[in-house]
Amino acid sequence: MTCTRYENDLALYVEHDLADTDAAAVEAHLRECVTCPPFLAELRASQAWVKDLASEEIDSEALAAMRVRTIVAAARARRSGPPGTVRAWALAASVILALGTAVWVAVVSRTDRTRAVAVSSSPSSSAPRALATPVIAPPVIASGSARSTLPGPAAVSLRMEHAHGRRGRVDRPSVVPALSPDDADQLARAVVAIARIQRVEETAADAEPSPEPTPLMRLATADPDVVIYWPLDPNGGE
Amino acid sequence: MPRISFRRPEASTRDLSLAPADLPDRPVAAEAAEWVRRARAGDPQAFAVLVERHERMVLRTAFRLLGHLDLAQDAAQDAFLRLHRHLGRFDETRELGPWLYRVVVNVCRDVARRGRGARLVALEDAAALPSPHEGAREREDAVTRDEQRRLVQAALLTLPAREREAIVLRDIEGLATDEVARILGSSAGTVRSQVSTARLKIKRYVEAQGGTRR
């Protein structure tokens, strides 16, 4: 038996962990108690065993193995990247650069979309269908009615430039990036054929059936594969 | 198959320690700060010296907290690699020892959280474990110093982690109560309470296993 309420104090007293006043109180109790002094002796014995662990040598090979592994791992880490704050700054710079690139790409693609929409919405309904079908119809073609806007050499020249630009020049943002090589070839042939229109005749071709048939001009070209149907404005472009 | 051989401690000490001419005659703290500075500048030799000077302390503490040498080696390595990573931010005017104690305690907590640490046994269950020897007389004779150490180590592993940390730092590493409190991030009063409880539990465990009562 021991005085339970003194056990914790004795466990501190045994290693001089009590304040002086508390230690004095414990010593006074020890002088009067029968059971606590043997308890304190047992505590001293077990504490001697505990503290003996401090003198136990760690296996030297275990130490050496740990040391070698640690130094090698540190050297590897040093080679793979700068330590500490430098690496953190490098990471932060990479993130900022990536975000900046993403924002730039988003802005550029949005601008391209805006321009493509603006251009593709510009042709009027009276433009020749063969040329209006591709995304771009140059403004000179798209204006007015068939009576006043049959393509002349200037217009053809402008179109050729556009077709050529789409095929060969890639150093500026393309307005029609989706135009395939085949489509571009077809467009170029149409442009050349327009310059050599051989016959213009009114036709009743039902290319676009509607309740009130639109007058349609058929433009036969020197190229047998290129025939242009030109819807005429019933109101004469007014 | 290449063979890996480890240098004996004496050889490694000679290899990694400072030559007298290599370091000016300065107080120990200033000398340690000089090594920290050099290691931070990327000197691998300086980092090796830091490891060598603290390896026993770190590995011993990890072993007492985890109970397995292989786990302790991993934990010690992890602690030193954390030192290596944080060298850039380490205040060289501070002592490295307490910082490393705190790191190794944290690493061991991580190991225990991952379930690889000591399998804790309730004290009551541990006391009920069969003694390796039947008779009291035989038991007394057989308790050699090594067995006594194994018994205390087993008792340590029965303690809750916080009590084990407190008693390992206070009674085995011999740190002052205030310093233990700083390392563990608690108060001196809490540490005193943990230490006294741990001492009583260890006493009971050792006696239950036929230890100190002869």
Side-chain angles (χ1 to χ4, degrees), chain B residues 62-77:
Chain B
F63 177 62
R64 296 302 170 212
L65 293 178
L66 295 171
H68 299 280
L69 190 56
D70 53 346
L71 289 180
Q73 284 177 299
D74 290 346
Q77 180 182 343

Side-chain angles (χ1 to χ4, degrees), chain B residues 20-179:
Chain B
D22 198 19
L23 196 73
D25 188 18
R26 293 180 189 173
V28 174
E31 181 189 323
E34 179 66 23
W35 285 116
V36 170
R37 256 194 300 276
R38 287 193 193 182
R40 191 164 51 204
D43 181 354
Q45 179 81 355
F47 179 71
V49 170
L50 291 177
V51 171
E52 191 213 9
R53 289 189 173 188
H54 297 89
E55 64 188 8
R56 285 175 191 277
M57 171 199 102
V58 169
L59 185 58
R60 188 176 57 223
T61 305
F63 177 62
R64 296 302 170 212
L65 293 178
L66 295 171
H68 299 280
L69 190 56
D70 53 346
L71 289 180
Q73 284 177 299
D74 290 346
Q77 180 182 343
D78 197 359
F80 282 120
L81 290 179
R82 287 189 192 187
L83 167 67
H84 184 260
R85 279 198 299 273
H86 290 87
L87 272 173
R89 279 175 278 167
F90 187 77
D91 179 3
E92 63 207 22
T93 61
R94 286 170 57 197
E95 274 192 77
L96 190 54
W99 189 87
L100 271 173
Y101 272 125
R102 178 178 290 207
V103 170
V104 76
V105 165
N106 286 334
V107 170
C108 290
R109 286 178 186 173
D110 290 344
V111 171
R113 261 197 293 272
R114 290 196 296 267
R116 299 178 61 214
R119 297 278 178 273
L120 300 183
V121 184
L123 185 59
E124 295 75 17
D125 297 341
L129 286 174
S131 172
H133 306 285
E134 290 300 321
R137 180 72 188 171
E138 287 173 88
R139 194 160 57 222
E140 286 174 9
D141 293 339
V143 177
T144 63
R145 198 174 183 193
D146 280 349
E147 287 174 325
Q148 158 190 322
R149 285 171 172 167
R150 280 205 298 275
L151 195 57
V152 176
Q153 178 66 45
L156 281 175
L157 297 181
T158 66
L159 300 175
R162 302 297 165 137
E163 290 176 10
R164 187 162 65 245
E165 291 163 6
I167 198 167
V168 164
L169 294 178
R170 176 71 186 92
D171 286 353
I172 301 175
E173 292 302 304
L175 304 180
T177 302
D178 289 345
E179 197 170 6

Side-chain angles (χ1 to χ4, degrees), chain A residues 20-210:
Chain A
D20 289 347
T21 50
D22 294 333
V26 168
E27 284 165 0
H29 173 74
L30 284 170
R31 283 193 292 271
E32 298 168 355
C33 183
V34 180
T35 56
C36 281
F39 184 83
L40 180 63
E42 290 165 5
L43 256 175
R44 284 207 171 99
S46 70
Q47 277 301 109
W49 284 25
V50 169
K51 296 177 91 170
D52 179 61
L53 285 183
S55 62
E56 188 178 24
E57 272 297 310
I58 297 286
D59 178 55
S60 61
E61 291 203 349
L63 269 176
M66 186 276 294
R67 183 192 315 134
V68 170
R69 278 166 42 191
T70 301
I71 293 172
V72 168
R76 193 177 297 140
R78 205 166 29 243
R79 275 197 299 274
S80 66
T85 53
V86 178
R87 188 163 46 208
W89 277 109
L91 182 64
S94 303
V95 169
I96 290 170
L97 188 63
L99 284 174
T101 305
V103 168
W104 182 80
V105 166
V107 167
V108 166
S109 63
R110 185 173 176 174
T111 306
D112 281 355
R113 260 201 315 276
T114 308
R115 289 172 62 186
V117 167
V119 170
S120 63
S121 64
S122 63
S124 73
S125 61
S126 59
R129 195 170 302 149
L131 297 176
T133 304
V135 178
I136 294 178
V140 66
I141 300 297
S143 64
S145 66
R147 282 178 300 192
S148 59
T149 57
L150 277 178
V156 170
S157 168
L158 184 63
R159 286 174 167 214
M160 291 285 283
E161 185 181 317
H162 272 265
H164 177 72
R166 278 194 296 275
R167 294 188 72 188
R169 294 167 61 178
V170 293
D171 56 342
R172 60 191 170 91
S174 172
V175 178
V176 282
L179 190 67
S180 70
D182 285 343
D183 288 342
D185 280 336
Q186 201 169 359
L187 182 61
R189 283 179 71 184
V191 168
V192 170
I194 284 170
R196 289 179 288 166
I197 290 173
Q198 293 178 331
R199 200 168 60 251
V200 177
E201 57 191 10
E202 196 165 348
T203 178
D206 52 353
E208 198 173 52
S210 64

